[in-house]
Amino acid sequence: MIGVGLKKLAKQNGMREDAGVAYGLLKGYATVLSEGMGYKQITISTTFPEGQKEKLMELTQGVDMQKVYRVQQLVFHPEGILVQFHDTVGTMKKLEAFIEWFYSLLPQVGATGGDICRECGSSVMAGQWYLMGDFAHYLHDTCGQTLLQEMEQAQQEAREQDEGSYVQGAIGAALGALLGAVVWGIVLYLGYVASILGLLIGWLANKGYDLLRGRKGKGKVVILILAVLLGVLVGTLAPDAYYLGQLIHYGELPGYTYGSIPYMLIDLLIQDGEYLGSVISNSAMGILFAALGVVGLLKRTSREVSGTKVKKLK
């Protein structure tokens, strides 16, 4: 859902709301206004004559967009342009100033307006809005229906050609997460914890999943979440496992071997309520920090496995 600031901007420019975004023509260009945790976003659906995209990039190079407009990324996609702003106090004024500046550059490079159908390239007098991922397009209704059918067919073919395995992917994700757990345990042993470690565990789990050719389906997100939880739990227990290993090494636990350590930890969790509470508390804190670090990765993964979604807007 968009907030008050974007709602007001959309209303002032005659834009509509649906699917949690504002969309419509903004200064003549098909635009989507949206926001999420810590950011606001504009996408502009457009194309450029040959060589003109490079000219637009040159026109923007002389401006420090991060300092002047709080732009944290500006990306050119096949569908158009994505601009993301760091969202904090005063960002709406920066965003509105950016619109005044940037949209004035688009006619200079021949960027196509929002009344041109991306499917057939002709003008649209009475069409229908479609949301494709982050971008909205104004299309002839027949062109829109064709687009929906093409996208559905392409995604079906991709699913049929996917020869990956959830089992193999889960093994790879677990191995990657356990590798991340080693780093987590070392840092925790030193008395620190940070969300970047959660991102590391998630990245390694994702890498392991892909290396072992995991299936590119919605189950991947669930597997990665479970792998991150496994990594955090093992990483939380790792300092205690190391401590027990030291006691065994110096002969202070006669009769025990390194192979006994997992069973010793399980016994402690079952028999020592205070230790169990401590592990639960530390794990909960670890999961919170991991979530802060890995949420972006999981969102990207979810979009990747879901494919580009096309929605007919109101």
Side-chain angles (χ1 to χ4, degrees), residues 62-271:
V63 178
D64 186 342
M65 288 185 284
Q66 183 173 9
K67 182 178 180 179
V68 178
Y69 300 113
R70 294 185 186 164
V71 173
Q72 54 189 19
Q73 62 172 320
L74 188 152
V75 183
F76 289 89
H77 288 268
E79 303 295 325
I81 306 167
L82 182 148
V83 190
Q84 199 168 91
F85 303 80
H86 175 59
D87 192 10
T88 185
V89 178
T91 293
M92 278 305 303
K93 289 184 178 180
K94 299 285 187 179
L95 184 147
E96 291 171 2
F98 173 86
I99 289 172
E100 293 298 322
W101 168 69
F102 189 77
Y103 277 68
S104 69
L105 302 178
L106 297 178
Q108 299 179 36
V109 296
T112 55
D115 60 342
I116 302 298
C117 178
R118 73 178 292 275
E119 286 296 295
C120 67
S122 60
S123 179
V124 184
M125 298 299 293
Q128 173 66 48
W129 284 96
Y130 290 84
L131 186 66
M132 292 183 58
D134 291 318
F135 294 85
H137 300 278
Y138 192 51
L139 310 174
H140 298 105
D141 199 43
T142 53
C143 291
Q145 294 301 323
T146 301
L147 175 65
L148 288 172
Q149 294 172 6
E150 290 175 349
M151 293 293 294
E152 185 177 344
Q153 182 178 352
Q155 291 174 9
Q156 180 62 33
E157 290 175 356
R159 286 192 292 268
E160 292 173 355
Q161 293 172 7
D162 185 2
E163 298 178 353
S165 163
Y166 280 134
V167 174
Q168 290 178 207
I171 294 172
L175 291 174
L178 290 175
L179 181 59
V182 173
V183 181
W184 182 284
I186 292 172
V187 175
L188 190 63
Y189 181 77
L190 296 174
Y192 301 96
V193 65
S195 59
I196 189 66
L197 297 175
L199 178 59
L200 175 65
I201 294 176
W203 185 86
L204 289 170
N206 184 63
K207 196 69 175 177
Y209 187 97
D210 291 340
L211 286 175
L212 266 65
R213 299 185 64 189
R215 188 172 182 83
K216 305 297 183 183
K218 294 181 179 180
K220 178 180 180 180
V221 178
V222 177
I223 290 172
L224 290 182
I225 291 173
L226 293 175
V228 171
L229 293 176
L230 172 66
V232 171
L233 178 59
V234 172
T236 301
L237 292 172
D240 296 331
Y242 175 77
Y243 177 69
L244 290 173
Q246 289 291 93
L247 293 179
I248 292 171
H249 176 73
Y250 289 110
E252 297 184 32
L253 292 174
Y256 290 95
T257 65
Y258 294 128
S260 305
I261 292 176
Y263 303 102
M264 296 169 71
L265 288 172
I266 292 173
D267 285 341
L268 282 170
L269 290 170
I270 294 174
Q271 298 177 15

